[in-house]
Amino acid sequence: MDNKREQERNELHKTIWNIANKLRGSVDGWDFRTYVLGMMFYRYLSENLTNYVNKIEREINPSFDYALLNDKDVDESNKKRLVDEKGFSIYPSELFINVWKNAPTNKDLNITLETIFKNIEASSIGTKSEKNLKGLFSDFDVNSNKLGSTVEERNKNLCSLMNGIGEMKLGDYQSNSIDAFGDAYEYLISMYASAAGKSGGEYFTPQEVSELLMKLCLINKKKINTCYDPACGSGSLLLQAAKILGADNVSYFIGQEINLTTYNLCRMNMFLHDINYSKFDIELGDTLLNPQIANDEKFEVVVSNPPYSVQWIKHENPLLINDPRFAPAGVLAPKNKGDLAFVLHCLYHLANNGTSSIVCFPGVMYRSGAEKKIRQYLIENNYVDCVINLPSNLFFGTSIATCILVLKKNKTDNNVLFIDAKKEYIKITNSNKLTQENINKIIDTFKERKEIKYFSRLASFEQIKEQDFNLAVNTYVEQEDKTEVIDIKVLNQELKEVVHKSDELRKKIDEIIKDIEN
């Protein structure tokens, strides 16, 4: 699987790199990523809809092809059926393959694409899917000067973009062993973010880390009701539930994202993975200060990679301490470090039979003050199930070694498992990655709650209390001492031999000098 995954990933990266080279100097890198992902999405919607219609119609007519129909052959009842089933409709003439075919000679390509994008979104107006389609193409501005200073230049670049996306040989997006859309997003960020001075790594969790986070929550589960991510980014974490269990075994996906562009990308990603519009709800807004889910909603799986050390309170708000999410801890997370505010939010919305896994900045595990009081609350109420040290340099945009906090409300003992997995990785170019073997080792240790020397240890409530509620993994897992043990007797003998050889050499040198003088 790892080899197949890397082959698909390399093919994807190669294609994107070729597109980037063709548009180099024409489109700013950071804006370019939006156009690539938007065009990928347009192609996917077109192919997904075509395949859906063809599958039905070919049971009667094996040679049927929706892409070859005239628009007039699609009446209102056909359109309504498509919107009811898929959440949107596209006329045959507006399908990616047909627009791409005519792109080189279409002098109004920008207007054509703009109209099609509006039509796709408009097809859902007044239906149940309207919320999930609205504004999906808002970042894809075909008339922007970023694409070129003249209409001719814009159309030339749009045509090159369609050629690149159209020539991708990746099969069905959702059947790849990689998250093609998410991986394209990650790769585009890594290509351009540093040079552009922009930050984007917090919006995407590497697929291997997403897999680990989700598997921690799915131990002994074959089906779940709802999966929730309060800082869902491009949706890579949520989609792991569908990848691991199968989409039919996840009843509903819920997420919230504060960044508008990434919010759109997340909704696109749901469609790209063939998650029906009726099975997901992605909201826009600040999760900590303006959560879009009801207070009484509880979820079987809560996963998250929230932004590290984010300033979450800009102005003093005395009402926040009474918020049912934060009130039980008796203290708010520091206003410039919202990490544990996200943890408390996840805990509050966790069902009694559920599991939550959250990526955390290491400092929250040992810092004093309010963060120590929150840790104490979590430990004294027996919510902390496991803390896992991850390797450094796993995430784009930061080289820090993060950790995972696993929470449960139905623990049968008051022990906490600590796993030191900071050496579980392979190096790929300038970053580190978890392999399937690394993931399996961590999951197996977590599932069996095994103690392995230098790798994992179970600590009791009393032991954690003795450490003043410090949850840093290194406090509990013994570090292997690889310092070479030196035998002083052997060393002394070696020194004597060196001194003896030095004396012999000096005598020979003196003899040679004497001969030269004579």
Side-chain angles (χ1 to χ4, degrees):
M1 179 61 75
D2 276 357
N3 287 337
K4 183 184 178 186
R5 183 179 287 180
E6 287 309 312
Q7 285 174 358
E8 290 177 354
R9 186 170 279 152
N10 290 337
E11 175 70 25
L12 176 70
H13 293 178
K14 181 181 175 183
T15 303
I16 293 173
W17 183 253
N18 289 336
I19 299 171
N21 278 337
K22 288 178 183 177
L23 296 180
R24 187 178 297 278
S26 301
V27 183
D28 174 71
W30 195 249
D31 299 306
F32 171 74
R33 94 201 193 287
T34 302
Y35 288 110
V36 170
L37 295 172
M39 195 65 80
M40 280 179 70
F41 182 57
Y42 170 41
R43 174 186 162 180
Y44 170 79
L45 287 183
S46 298
E47 293 178 359
N48 183 271
L49 190 74
T50 301
N51 292 340
Y52 173 77
V53 177
N54 287 350
K55 185 177 179 181
I56 295 172
E57 295 295 335
R58 284 175 182 174
E59 292 180 2
I60 302 170
N61 179 7
S63 63
F64 179 88
D65 189 346
Y66 182 71
L68 298 179
L69 293 183
N70 290 315
D71 290 355
K72 63 183 180 182
D73 295 326
V74 183
D75 59 29
E76 285 304 311
S77 62
N78 294 138
K79 279 187 65 179
K80 184 178 185 305
R81 186 187 69 177
L82 289 176
V83 174
D84 287 344
E85 293 294 324
K86 303 299 292 182
F88 61 94
S89 69
I90 306 175
Y91 279 117
S93 68
E94 296 183 333
L95 294 170
F96 178 92
I97 191 169
N98 290 328
V99 177
W100 177 30
K101 191 190 307 177
N102 299 316
T105 58
N106 185 352
K107 294 182 179 180
D108 297 316
L109 181 60
N110 60 326
I111 297 173
T112 299
L113 288 171
E114 181 181 40
T115 302
I116 291 171
F117 296 159
K118 286 180 179 177
N119 288 346
I120 293 174
E121 292 185 19
S123 69
S124 68
I125 292 176
T127 72
K128 293 179 181 178
S129 63
E130 180 178 358
K131 180 182 175 184
N132 284 334
L133 264 292
K134 188 176 181 181
L136 275 182
F137 290 98
S138 59
D139 288 318
F140 200 118
D141 185 357
V142 296
N143 298 306
S144 171
N145 286 333
K146 294 171 182 176
L147 275 172
S149 57
T150 66
V151 172
E152 188 178 1
E153 285 179 12
R154 290 170 207 155
N155 286 340
K156 181 183 176 182
N157 286 328
L158 285 169
C159 187
S160 293
L161 184 59
M162 291 199 83
N163 286 336
I165 299 300
E167 289 166 3
M168 282 185 172
K169 295 181 177 66
L170 290 169
D172 294 331
Y173 288 98
Q174 67 268 26
S175 66
N176 292 322
S177 63
I178 62 167
D179 169 0
F181 191 70
D183 203 90
Y185 179 61
E186 182 182 29
Y187 182 61
L188 285 161
I189 287 171
S190 65
M191 279 174 68
Y192 293 114
S194 296
K198 313 239 180 167
S199 173
E202 69 268 29
Y203 302 131
F204 184 83
T205 305
Q207 291 155 48
E208 295 79 10
V209 179
S210 295
E211 181 181 343
L212 173 59
L213 284 164
M214 186 56 69
K215 283 185 172 179
L216 289 166
C217 293
L218 297 180
I219 301 294
N220 299 324
K221 292 182 185 292
K222 294 183 179 179
K223 194 169 186 175
I224 59 173
N225 291 325
T226 307
C227 180
Y228 171 58
D229 184 347
C232 60
S234 61
S236 60
L237 246 173
L238 286 171
L239 287 163
Q240 279 297 328
K243 208 146 207 170
I244 295 168
L245 295 178
D248 291 340
N249 294 315
V250 184
S251 299
Y252 209 68
F253 301 84
I254 296 181
Q256 185 165 339
E257 172 55 41
I258 194 170
N259 180 280
L260 176 60
T261 297
T262 317
Y263 159 73
N264 287 335
L265 290 176
C266 183
R267 291 185 296 154
M268 286 183 186
N269 218 356
M270 290 291 153
F271 280 106
L272 275 165
H273 285 80
D274 218 16
I275 306 298
N276 192 274
Y277 72 91
S278 63
K279 291 188 61 174
F280 72 86
D281 180 13
I282 308 300
E283 298 286 351
L284 177 66
D286 187 326
T287 297
L288 296 181
L289 299 180
N290 188 24
Q292 296 298 302
I293 55 174
N295 267 346
D296 59 351
E297 286 193 81
K298 308 293 179 183
F299 308 107
E300 194 173 351
V301 170
V302 181
V303 287
S304 194
N305 175 21
Y308 310 139
S309 301
V310 68
Q311 180 181 355
W312 71 292
I313 306 174
K314 293 182 180 178
H315 306 287
E316 294 301 326
N317 183 351
L319 298 178
L320 269 179
I321 193 60
N322 297 320
D323 189 302
R325 297 171 295 167
F326 313 127
V331 64
L332 294 175
K335 65 180 181 180
N336 291 321
K337 296 181 178 69
D339 311 69
L340 288 181
F342 275 104
V343 168
L344 291 173
H345 174 90
C346 290
L347 175 67
Y348 179 77
H349 288 287
L350 182 65
N352 288 331
N353 66 336
T355 303
S356 177
S357 61
I358 310 154
V359 179
C360 293
F361 186 81
V364 306
M365 298 300 165
Y366 57 79
R367 288 192 294 241
S368 59
E371 290 175 310
K372 181 212 161 183
K373 291 179 182 177
I374 294 173
R375 290 197 307 272
Q376 183 173 344
Y377 159 74
L378 294 172
I379 292 295
E380 287 181 341
N381 286 275
N382 203 25
Y383 293 137
V384 181
D385 188 58
C386 183
V387 184
I388 304 168
N389 261 1
L390 292 178
S392 61
N393 213 22
L394 286 181
F395 296 85
F396 174 75
T398 179
S399 61
I400 61 169
T402 56
C403 60
I404 296 175
L405 180 64
V406 182
L407 304 175
K408 287 185 179 179
K409 290 182 176 178
N410 61 345
K411 289 177 62 184
T412 55
D413 60 49
N414 66 353
N415 297 327
V416 176
L417 179 65
F418 291 90
I419 299 176
D420 189 358
K422 65 176 177 288
K423 296 177 183 176
E424 297 296 313
Y425 68 90
I426 59 169
K427 193 161 191 66
I428 295 182
T429 59
N430 295 323
S431 61
N432 298 329
K433 286 192 179 294
L434 297 171
T435 65
Q436 205 59 51
E437 185 180 351
N438 299 141
I439 293 171
N440 291 343
K441 181 179 178 181
I442 296 168
I443 293 296
D444 182 55
T445 305
F446 173 77
K447 184 177 179 180
E448 303 297 328
R449 297 187 79 72
K450 293 189 291 190
E451 288 196 312
I452 302 172
K453 193 171 185 181
Y454 306 132
F455 185 71
S456 62
R457 183 187 168 196
L458 272 173
S460 67
F461 169 80
E462 289 75 19
Q463 289 170 324
I464 296 172
K465 186 177 180 180
E466 283 176 12
Q467 295 295 335
D468 205 20
F469 301 99
N470 183 327
L471 291 179
V473 173
N474 293 346
T475 304
Y476 303 94
V477 179
E478 182 185 357
Q479 302 300 294
E480 186 175 5
D481 185 2
K482 291 193 174 183
T483 305
E484 186 179 355
V485 178
I486 298 174
D487 188 324
I488 193 66
K489 291 182 179 180
V490 173
L491 181 62
N492 283 334
Q493 183 59 40
E494 289 176 350
L495 284 172
K496 285 181 182 179
E497 291 176 4
V498 170
V499 170
H500 176 70
K501 288 179 180 179
S502 177
D503 289 342
E504 289 294 314
L505 182 60
R506 186 170 295 282
K507 285 180 183 179
K508 288 182 180 180
I509 292 172
D510 287 343
E511 290 174 1
I512 291 171
I513 292 174
K514 187 178 288 185
D515 286 341
I516 292 172
E517 288 176 344
N518 290 334

